[in-house]
Amino acid sequence: MFRTALRNVLAHKARLLMTVLAVMLGVAFVSGTLVFTSTISDAFQASSQKGFDRVDVAVHPRSAGDHQGAPGRTPRLDRKLLDAAARVPGAASATGTVSGFTAIADKKGELLGDGFSTLGGNYFPGKDGTDARYPLRDGTAPKGPHEFALDARTADKAGYKVGDTVRISVDGPVREQKLTGVFTTDDGTVAAGGSLALFDTPTAQKLFAAPGTFSEIDVTAAPGTSQTALKAAVDKVLPKDGAEATTGRQLADEQAKSIAQRMDGMKTGLLVFAGIALFVGVFIIANTFTMLVAQRTKELALLRAVGASRRQVTRSVLIEAFVVGAVAAVTGLAAGVGIGAGLRALMSSTGATVPDGPLVVSPTTVGTSLLVGIVITVLAAWLPGRRAAKIPPVAAMNSVHATATTKSLVVRNILGALFAGAGAAGVLVATGMSDGKAVMASGAVLLLIGVFILTPLLSRPLIALAAPVLRAFGISGSLARQNAVRNPRRTAATASALMVGLTLITGMTVIAGSVQKGIDKMATDALKADYVVSMAGRTPLSPEVEKKLSGLDEVTAISPLRNSPARVGGGIEYLTGVHGPDFGKLTRLDFTQGALGDLRGDKVVVDDATAKEKGWKPGSRFPVTYEDGKKGTLTVSGVYQGNEMLGGVLLDNATLAPHQKQITDMQVMVKTADGATDATKDALVAALGKNPAISVSDKQDVSDGIAKMFNLMLNMLYGLLAMAVIVAVLGVINTLAMSVFERSQEIGMLRAIGLDRRGVKRMVRLESLVISLFGGVLGIGLGVFFGWAAGELISGSLATYELVLPWGRMGLFLAMAALVGVLAALWPARRAARLNMLASIKAE
């Protein structure tokens, strides 16, 4: 039986090729995902590890939540503590560091980098006058407030040399700095494609912290001193409740753990799509082996007649599946390594920050890929194998295997109805729940399974709807319709593969479009301001930005938004400071209780979620401890509906500013006399020194930014789901090719009685088109239903959510399904038309 199974594999190489391709694509996606995430994870970990090579113990200030007392009470790390740490037993040296956002403009005035990886820090020379962290390649170390040094990668990319004047920005205003030095570094951010600018320590402290203070103190151990021993010595000189020490090894481990967690999310997401591709591939495998078994009815029955047991027949089918799965898994693994390398190169080419490092193919990746390919194939072939074992020896007397009984079809339809009914009920019930994600996901899976089981039943009436159109193609059209419904199970399995892919694509398109519309509406409805000014990377703005803009003749109302932590009750709340007199002219808040009124003095307005949590209403008074430790009492004058742009406690900046240690703005809202015009925008940009780090956005810019974000996300999803669609195409090709082989005698008879080659081709193409459109209609219908249901959940947290049906894209998806049918039929149709009619008539 083993030799028989191997002989069958070799005898049906062409028929099994599509199955191998389908499994190979799924395995390639799995292995490519594992290779890509392992490579990126290891590269980031190695890069971050280098950053801790010279750090044996790091001292950080404790965060405000680490101790009792007022927000912001955390002491700064000063020079006194730095010197004390340098003198502890076992310490070789101590370095004080400060860092923060620093935007670098290229020679065209454009921002270098993406805003999140453009950093600045301090050059901290040791006794020899150099900083071992940053060896200088060219020039000298920065000295004074107007000099700086730049990492070699960024300098080379931008074409900067020592002596050039470079425009930079830290918190808003443009600074023109002289480039005095170019240095090399193994800093993880720079290795990943970011930039690093260095200033002398006093300048960096003024820019990123406060004069004479550091954000971190790094201590290096003397030879023979362990990190643990050094930490114990450093702990003794730290102020109580003011700072904490951590070993470099612990920091590296935490960083590695954090990177692994971030990569796990990406890995899970990519593996979900790989699973979808494999799930779609299961239909093809099951279809292939079902047809192979049906075509070998005589052979298998004769084996039974000469003594083969049912178990041996099943085993022979599973051995075939094992060989096919093993071949597909090995080729899929090889292709996956290429996919992993390609994904990394693609990320680097798009400007994403990816560190250098070797391609990582772990034993886990190899084992998982082989296991997935073989197990999926064998499991999918198990049911056809069982059917093969049930073939009675007497079937050897017949030319075809007995068709499914009425009882089996009734049982299938009942099961499908139960699954679909339970799934639809679960989805509908979840739409009325506050947290129905799990219920909805379970219901969606049950409904999808139920529709799949019912697909043979649904195929007849739905395909019958195409009869009037097919009649226009004459006898070829009529034959195509009859062929499509002749074997409903095969048609269902073929269409279901395409249905799964289009269900996901349509559902995600509906959800993304509706959420985009809701956020867009919220952003534009809640905003009366003409412009929103913010910093690249969403870092704080200098108050100088507001001062410059408020002095313009075009500006009629302006309000910065400032955040400050405060203790309210037993916890920390962030107060948002606004310019009370102008705030009502710049925003449009929906008040459920009270009103905005005159937002001055101790008057505040709060969002509905905070009011409900605290039990506040208009007139409520509550005590507050500000950032500087001083206490006061605030009075609620109104409760508004919170949104993604504004939330929490809002009060006048005149009340908040005296209690802030360092005043910075998160953004500035501006209203102008002439509204949003190109001339007005140019005036605002010019007033800010044409700063590449500052974004001046009108409502259309905000809307375009939201649309761009969602379109990027959708395009990524489309790219990932394309794998499932490609597998579905292979399934259609496979089904048609084997169907043509199965019906070769029939096709020969049709040729003999007058159907020409063109008519045969048209018949196969129309059959493929009908099956693909059937799967497309089911997929789009289910996708719209799932999109609507998910939107009902989302609307609970997004008040402006509005269901949007993307008719244009759905039409495109249906056209894509039709194209799949046409393309998939090219080879089978050509093969059918070239059959020799006499040989086909004699075929059994």
Side-chain angles (χ1 to χ4, degrees):
M1 292 302 295
F2 180 75
R3 287 196 299 273
T4 301
L6 291 180
R7 194 179 300 117
N8 283 326
V9 172
L10 296 174
H12 302 127
K13 294 188 289 291
R15 291 184 234 170
L16 292 171
L17 178 62
M18 296 299 173
T19 302
V20 170
L21 284 174
V23 180
M24 184 200 76
L25 284 172
V27 172
F29 209 153
V30 172
S31 58
T33 295
L34 295 175
V35 169
F36 171 67
T37 52
S38 296
T39 298
I40 297 299
S41 181
D42 280 22
F44 272 115
Q45 287 183 21
S47 178
S48 65
Q49 184 71 44
K50 288 179 181 179
F52 297 111
D53 285 348
R54 299 184 183 88
V55 180
D56 292 307
V57 173
V59 179
H60 297 93
R62 286 187 186 274
S63 64
D66 289 339
H67 57 87
Q68 298 299 318
R73 181 180 138 189
T74 304
R76 305 270 187 179
L77 307 181
D78 54 19
R79 185 77 200 193
K80 181 179 178 182
L81 181 58
L82 174 68
D83 293 339
R87 290 194 299 267
V88 299
S93 64
T95 303
T97 66
V98 286
S99 61
F101 169 79
T102 302
I104 310 291
D106 62 18
K107 291 187 175 181
K108 295 180 181 179
E110 301 294 329
L111 178 67
L112 282 169
D114 58 12
F116 292 95
S117 57
T118 54
L119 301 177
N122 66 312
Y123 188 89
F124 193 90
K127 294 178 181 178
D128 60 354
T130 64
D131 189 332
R133 300 172 300 168
Y134 309 115
L136 288 167
R137 188 189 73 180
D138 304 311
T140 59
K143 294 178 182 177
H146 303 295
E147 295 184 356
F148 86 115
L150 189 60
D151 71 271
R153 285 194 181 198
T154 305
D156 294 342
K157 181 168 64 175
Y160 286 131
K161 297 179 180 179
V162 172
D164 288 346
T165 298
V166 181
R167 299 172 77 245
I168 71 171
S169 179
V170 172
D171 58 358
V174 174
R175 301 168 59 92
E176 293 194 345
Q177 303 279 131
K178 182 180 179 181
L179 181 62
T180 62
V182 175
F183 60 90
T184 58
T185 177
D186 52 15
D187 182 274
T189 303
V190 175
S195 65
L196 180 62
L198 296 180
F199 308 88
D200 66 2
T201 298
T203 302
Q205 288 175 328
K206 184 178 179 182
L207 292 174
F208 306 126
T213 65
F214 303 98
S215 54
E216 179 176 317
I217 294 175
D218 298 331
V219 187
T220 305
T225 303
S226 68
Q227 290 187 354
T228 306
L230 181 60
K231 178 183 178 300
V234 170
D235 281 337
K236 295 178 182 178
V237 301
L238 298 181
K240 258 186 183 180
D241 288 334
E244 59 183 347
T246 310
T247 64
R249 188 174 297 108
Q250 184 180 347
L251 288 173
D253 291 344
E254 289 175 356
Q255 183 80 356
K257 185 178 179 181
S258 174
I259 291 170
Q261 287 175 344
R262 291 201 302 272
M263 296 308 298
D264 281 345
M266 180 188 291
K267 183 189 297 183
T268 302
L270 290 172
L271 286 176
V272 165
F273 291 99
I276 292 167
L278 285 169
F279 179 66
V280 172
V282 166
F283 295 114
I284 300 176
I285 301 165
N287 230 9
T288 301
F289 279 93
T290 298
M291 286 186 283
L292 284 175
V293 166
Q295 291 167 11
R296 285 161 43 204
T297 298
K298 277 191 173 184
E299 176 189 329
L300 295 172
L302 284 170
L303 286 173
R304 292 290 315 282
V306 297
S309 67
R310 287 188 174 187
R311 183 175 295 178
Q312 285 177 312
V313 171
T314 303
R315 195 182 300 146
S316 72
V317 175
L318 294 180
I319 289 171
E320 286 184 56
F322 178 85
V323 173
V324 170
V327 172
V330 171
T331 53
L333 173 62
V337 173
I339 289 174
L343 284 173
R344 176 176 170 170
L346 180 64
M347 281 191 70
S348 300
S349 66
T350 57
T353 52
V354 182
D356 295 330
L359 199 66
V360 178
V361 184
S362 66
T364 304
T365 299
V366 176
T368 302
S369 301
L370 295 176
L371 188 66
V372 165
I374 293 170
V375 169
I376 289 291
T377 309
V378 170
L379 286 178
W382 177 74
L383 190 59
R386 279 190 75 243
R387 288 179 187 155
K390 291 181 180 180
I391 297 175
V394 73
M397 307 300 295
N398 302 319
S399 59
V400 293
H401 181 38
T403 57
T405 63
T406 304
K407 180 183 176 182
S408 69
L409 291 174
V410 170
V411 170
R412 176 175 181 140
N413 292 338
I414 291 173
L415 279 175
L418 290 174
F419 271 97
V427 171
L428 292 173
V429 168
T431 59
M433 300 171 63
S434 57
D435 186 16
K437 293 178 183 177
V439 176
M440 184 170 288
S442 303
V445 171
L446 286 176
L447 178 56
L448 199 60
I449 293 172
V451 171
F452 165 65
I453 296 173
L454 287 173
T455 307
L457 180 66
L458 297 171
S459 64
R460 289 185 180 275
L462 287 178
I463 290 177
L465 293 175
V469 178
L470 292 174
R471 284 196 199 101
F473 294 93
I475 189 66
S476 295
S478 299
L479 289 171
R481 185 184 65 81
Q482 292 171 21
N483 290 335
V485 296
R486 177 185 296 182
N487 190 334
R489 287 185 173 179
R490 183 191 302 162
T491 297
T494 305
S496 295
L498 194 58
M499 177 190 76
V500 172
L502 285 180
T503 295
L504 294 167
I505 289 174
T506 305
M508 289 177 178
T509 302
V510 170
I511 293 169
S514 301
V515 171
Q516 176 189 330
K517 179 77 172 178
I519 295 178
D520 193 8
K521 186 178 179 183
M522 177 195 67
T524 54
D525 286 0
L527 199 65
K528 289 199 289 187
D530 295 315
Y531 296 98
V532 175
V533 181
S534 58
M535 198 74 173
R538 299 302 173 191
T539 54
L541 282 165
S542 166
E544 291 296 319
V545 172
E546 183 214 352
K547 290 180 181 177
K548 284 188 176 183
L549 294 178
S550 61
L552 297 178
D553 294 336
E554 294 90 343
V555 175
T556 58
I558 189 168
S559 175
L561 265 63
R562 299 170 181 169
N563 282 339
S564 175
R567 188 169 296 279
V568 177
I572 300 295
E573 291 284 340
Y574 274 86
L575 306 179
T576 300
V578 299
H579 186 214
D582 285 350
F583 189 64
K585 303 174 187 176
L586 298 163
T587 57
R588 188 181 291 108
L589 298 180
D590 293 327
F591 280 83
T592 56
Q593 300 179 61
L596 181 64
D598 190 15
L599 199 60
R600 296 174 184 269
D602 66 347
K603 299 289 180 63
V604 300
V605 292
V606 298
D607 69 309
D608 46 2
T610 304
K612 183 178 180 181
E613 179 190 348
K614 303 290 186 183
W616 293 339
K617 58 184 179 181
S620 297
R621 294 171 61 82
F622 60 92
V624 60
T625 303
Y626 293 104
E627 182 181 345
D628 61 355
K630 293 183 180 179
K631 298 182 178 182
T633 302
L634 299 175
T635 304
V636 177
S637 61
V639 177
Y640 65 93
Q641 288 185 352
N643 54 55
E644 296 295 323
M645 295 190 67
L646 290 170
V649 181
L650 306 179
L651 73 164
D652 188 16
N653 276 326
T655 304
L656 183 64
H659 302 289
Q660 291 184 277
K661 293 185 177 180
Q662 186 175 4
I663 296 177
T664 56
D665 300 330
M666 296 311 297
Q667 62 182 32
V668 178
M669 296 182 292
V670 181
K671 192 165 186 63
T672 58
D674 298 328
T677 65
D678 291 340
T680 303
K681 186 173 182 177
D682 290 342
L684 298 181
V685 171
L688 296 173
K690 296 184 179 180
N691 193 327
I694 294 181
S695 168
V696 179
S697 306
D698 58 22
K699 289 184 183 180
Q700 188 59 48
D701 293 330
V702 173
S703 180
D704 291 345
I706 295 169
K708 183 179 179 181
M709 177 182 68
F710 277 96
N711 285 333
L712 178 63
M713 179 190 72
L714 270 180
N715 289 336
M716 289 176 62
L717 293 175
Y718 290 160
L720 293 169
L721 286 170
M723 184 71 72
V725 175
I726 291 171
V727 174
V729 173
L730 293 175
V732 178
I733 297 173
N734 206 21
T735 298
L736 289 173
M738 300 192 79
S739 178
V740 166
F741 177 84
E742 189 179 75
R743 302 201 313 259
S744 57
Q745 189 179 53
E746 174 189 321
I747 293 170
M749 289 293 294
L750 289 171
R751 290 288 316 283
I753 61 176
L755 188 66
D756 59 11
R757 288 187 175 184
R758 182 176 297 177
V760 171
K761 285 183 179 180
R762 187 183 300 123
M763 176 186 72
V764 176
R765 287 171 185 162
L766 289 174
E767 179 186 351
S768 175
L769 183 64
V770 167
I771 293 173
S772 296
L773 285 175
F774 170 54
V777 168
L778 283 181
I780 292 172
L782 282 174
V784 169
F785 177 70
F786 290 144
W788 165 81
E792 291 298 300
L793 281 183
I794 296 170
S795 62
S797 55
L798 183 61
T800 53
Y801 180 87
E802 181 181 330
L803 180 65
V804 175
L805 293 181
W807 295 107
R809 291 204 179 191
M810 287 194 294
L812 185 64
F813 297 155
L814 198 60
M816 184 181 71
L819 181 63
V820 164
V822 172
L823 294 177
L826 290 177
W827 178 61
R830 186 168 178 269
R831 182 181 177 186
R834 296 180 68 181
L835 285 175
N836 183 294
M837 69 176 75
L838 294 178
S840 299
I841 291 171
K842 290 193 299 180
E844 294 187 6

